[in-house]
Amino acid sequence: MNSNPIRIPFNRPHMVGKELWYIAQAHAAGQLAGDGPFTKKCRTWLEQRTGAKIALLTHSCTSALDMAAILAGVGPGDEIIMPSFTFVSTANAFVLRGATPVFVDIRPDTLNLDETKLKAAITKRTKAIVPVHYAGVACEMADIMDIAERNNLMVIEDAAQGLMARYQGRALGSFGHMATLSFHETKNVICGEGGALLINDPNLLERAEIIREKGTNRTQFFRGQVAKYTWIDIGSSFLPGELVAAFLWAQLEEATRITTQRTLLWERYHQAFEDLEAREQLVRPYIPADREHNAHMYYVLLPNLGARTEFIERMKAHGVQTVFHYVPLHSSPAGRKFGRAVGDLARTVEVADRLVRLPLWPDLGQQQEEVIEAVVKSCELAEKTPIVASR
């Protein structure tokens, strides 16, 4: 099928207007290394919004997960339970420490880790559970935390997509012992590449600062708590520079507005595709009543892999870029080498074949109508196939 040039990309990084001004201020202040004034503003904002004991900016969510794995004391022989339907960084952080990712299936409604699969996955080697809040929709955190407490397990929330989302009135990232955030350019609030580690367990606070500062007590030194700083633990250079923090601060100041804009677009998609779902041509996202999502993404589930492939090509012919993810980790070469799966993870495999994401960014504006029209036309052209596992 011949395709037109892409006119509407899947993502376009959103600028709020003050990013370059704040970067110029950071430059003029003369401190370009991390933990300057803008870093402190970002940390304070994150702590106030999430309720975390401390929020530590990092180069990326991947770096935050790396730190979390160290803080969790993960090592060879340990097992970490997580969904297979997630980005590779969720697993890599623990594999790097010598641990084994144990993959479980996902729920049919939210596509989050299926908490009912946890019991069968827990062994005497299990060290932690890593729930991933897919699409900014919370996992079943009450059940997960209860299971973790009864089995003396640590919980590390992968909230890469979860900033500004809530579960039963509480911010995502506030439930686990630790949580990680992403500010990658495809996320709601961005700085190009960036992340944060949220610490909720007070017993982890001191060591977290040390690991982030290359294994030294440099942060304590600058607070006047020690006379000199030295190397006292393992660690690395996880903190981003002040220019990155300045860019991020501009975005955090506008986080509420960004979320509102994205939510309006999300709701427009949701309304527009109601009839297509009623005709069983696609399945729309599901948001449980007890949680607030952040409109991180809008996806649809097509009937099968063939339908999804044809849909993407038809959208491309209309000049609209759509994307899919993930290749399930348990079926990847590294996943088979380093991890193990509990059960056949049939739902994960099915969803990975059927899911496609639509363009969504705050400035999408009237182009959204073109996307909606293209979706409707693509579905009309498709041979009608009943949804194989509608929710």
Side-chain angles (χ1 to χ4, degrees):
M1 180 182 294
N2 294 326
S3 61
N4 297 323
I6 294 298
R7 295 178 295 100
I8 305 177
F10 164 69
N11 180 64
R12 184 169 287 152
H14 173 66
M15 299 279 281
V16 301
K18 290 186 177 180
E19 291 89 348
L20 299 183
W21 167 238
Y22 286 159
I23 287 173
Q25 287 187 25
H27 179 266
Q31 179 178 347
L32 302 184
D35 276 345
F38 283 106
T39 299
K40 291 179 174 61
K41 288 177 184 287
C42 293
R43 285 181 55 177
T44 299
W45 189 97
L46 289 169
E47 289 161 6
Q48 291 176 345
R49 287 302 183 100
T50 67
K53 300 291 185 185
I54 193 171
L56 300 174
L57 294 192
T58 59
H59 293 298
S60 62
C61 187
T62 299
S63 294
L65 285 162
D66 289 341
M67 283 187 64
I70 296 172
L71 283 164
V74 170
D78 291 331
E79 295 181 346
I80 311 297
I81 302 173
M82 65 184 67
S84 174
F85 192 64
T86 184
F87 189 60
V88 62
S89 294
T90 311
N92 251 339
F94 302 98
V95 171
L96 283 168
R97 311 310 306 168
T100 299
V102 176
F103 301 115
V104 297
D105 213 347
I106 55 176
R107 294 174 57 95
D109 50 9
T110 61
L111 312 188
N112 281 325
L113 178 151
D114 187 341
E115 73 285 354
T116 68
K117 307 293 185 184
L118 290 175
K119 183 178 179 181
I122 294 172
T123 71
K124 63 181 180 180
R125 294 180 178 273
T126 305
K127 188 87 170 185
I129 302 170
V130 184
V132 179
H133 301 300
Y134 182 69
V137 179
C139 295
E140 304 294 328
M141 290 310 299
D143 291 337
I144 291 171
M145 294 306 297
D146 180 61
I147 292 168
E149 185 175 354
R150 285 190 280 112
N151 289 276
N152 194 30
L153 301 176
M154 186 167 284
V155 174
I156 302 167
E157 294 177 72
D158 184 336
Q161 301 174 357
L163 185 67
M164 303 294 286
R166 306 179 75 82
Y167 171 77
Q168 297 181 354
R170 285 176 55 184
L172 301 194
S174 68
F175 295 88
H177 298 81
M178 292 177 279
T180 63
L181 301 173
S182 174
F183 305 118
H184 184 268
E185 70 167 41
T186 58
K187 301 302 187 290
N188 294 24
V189 171
I190 66 173
C191 61
E193 292 277 2
L197 176 65
L198 307 180
I199 305 291
N200 299 314
D201 183 346
N203 296 318
L204 301 174
L205 298 180
E206 183 175 334
R207 192 173 186 226
E209 289 186 332
I210 290 169
I211 290 169
R212 181 171 171 267
E213 271 284 14
K214 311 166 190 68
T216 74
N217 57 350
R218 185 170 180 263
T219 301
Q220 294 176 343
F221 170 72
F222 282 124
R223 287 199 295 256
Q225 295 172 318
V226 293
K228 58 183 179 180
Y229 72 88
T230 187
W231 180 25
I232 58 177
D233 201 347
I234 63 170
S236 190
S237 182
F238 288 111
L239 65 162
E242 190 67 0
L243 300 185
V244 171
F247 190 110
L248 179 59
W249 175 240
Q251 294 266 319
L252 290 175
E253 280 188 315
E254 298 292 334
T256 299
R257 180 182 60 79
I258 290 170
T259 304
T260 299
Q261 288 180 276
R262 295 182 70 99
T263 300
L264 290 172
L265 294 166
W266 193 100
E267 293 288 354
R268 178 70 187 96
Y269 275 143
H270 209 58
Q271 179 185 36
F273 303 143
E274 184 176 5
D275 288 344
L276 294 177
E277 184 172 52
R279 298 200 301 266
E280 297 188 331
Q281 291 184 287
L282 54 75
V283 174
R284 301 178 300 165
Y286 171 74
I287 312 297
D290 64 347
R291 60 209 75 178
E292 303 167 36
H293 71 108
N294 61 1
H296 171 61
M297 73 170 78
Y298 197 91
Y299 65 82
V300 294
L301 296 175
L302 280 300
N304 51 51
L305 177 59
R308 201 260 307 270
T309 302
E310 291 177 2
F311 178 87
I312 290 174
E313 287 302 312
R314 288 193 179 103
M315 294 295 287
K316 191 183 300 182
H318 287 289
V320 179
Q321 181 185 32
T322 57
V323 302
F324 64 86
H325 69 196
Y326 305 96
V327 175
L329 295 186
H330 76 282
S331 63
S332 67
R336 293 194 298 269
K337 179 179 179 180
F338 297 119
R340 68 176 178 86
V342 177
D344 60 9
L345 277 66
R347 194 171 291 134
T348 295
V349 174
E350 176 200 322
V351 166
D353 283 347
R354 296 170 55 201
L355 186 142
V356 61
R357 296 176 62 181
L358 303 181
L360 179 59
W361 68 86
D363 301 318
L364 185 58
Q366 289 302 311
Q367 286 185 305
Q368 186 181 27
E369 295 304 317
E370 297 182 52
V371 178
I372 291 171
E373 183 179 352
V375 170
V376 172
K377 288 182 177 179
S378 296
C379 288
E380 288 175 348
L381 287 171
E383 180 180 354
K384 191 174 188 304
T385 306
I387 296 296
V388 294
S390 60
R391 294 198 283 267

